[in-house]
Amino acid sequence: MTQNMGNKGPIQEHDIIMRSRRTLEITGVKQVESFDNEEFLLETVMGFLSVKGQNLQMKNLDVDKGIVSIKGKIFEIIYLDEHHTEKAKGFFSKLFK
């Protein structure tokens, strides 16, 4: 389920825009590691990002620009350090095999 995002140009900007806790637009996404209706795990130019919520859906995916839009009820947005990243990747690789 991993999707590689375009990495055009020099250093890509990374922004997170949330509207009414219902929609999220994230730029600077390198790849989508995994996603389901409760959690998205994204690799961004600033590190791994976990978005947790309820009824989450990918609203838009622009591979060339590295933009992901998510809709649903957002509970948590957290950057994962290396220790947590390996744990998350291990969990998701087992889940989606």
Side-chain angles (χ1 to χ4, degrees):
M1 192 175 298
T2 299
Q3 296 182 6
N4 290 322
M5 308 298 278
N7 218 359
K8 312 278 187 222
I11 297 176
Q12 196 174 10
E13 299 229 353
H14 173 57
D15 297 307
I16 298 175
I17 301 166
M18 185 176 352
R19 293 184 178 84
S20 302
R21 203 175 163 190
R22 286 283 176 194
T23 60
L24 196 62
E25 184 173 294
I26 305 166
T27 63
V29 177
K30 292 166 66 174
Q31 65 182 10
V32 177
E33 286 290 327
S34 61
F35 64 94
D36 60 26
N37 65 344
E38 292 182 348
E39 182 172 15
F40 276 65
L41 182 62
L42 311 170
E43 183 180 2
T44 74
V45 295
M46 297 286 189
F48 282 89
L49 180 68
S50 170
V51 177
K52 293 183 181 180
Q54 183 177 38
N55 299 321
L56 299 179
Q57 299 174 355
M58 189 175 305
K59 183 177 168 188
N60 189 21
L61 172 65
D62 188 327
V63 175
D64 293 327
K65 294 181 182 175
I67 299 172
V68 174
S69 297
I70 300 170
K71 70 177 184 176
K73 184 162 186 173
I74 311 298
F75 293 153
E76 180 179 285
I77 302 169
I78 187 168
Y79 287 92
L80 304 172
D81 62 23
E82 286 185 24
H83 173 71
H84 290 101
T85 302
E86 292 305 315
K87 214 181 220 183
K89 285 174 104 175
F91 170 75
F92 282 112
S93 66
K94 290 175 189 169
L95 186 65
F96 291 106
K97 276 189 177 178

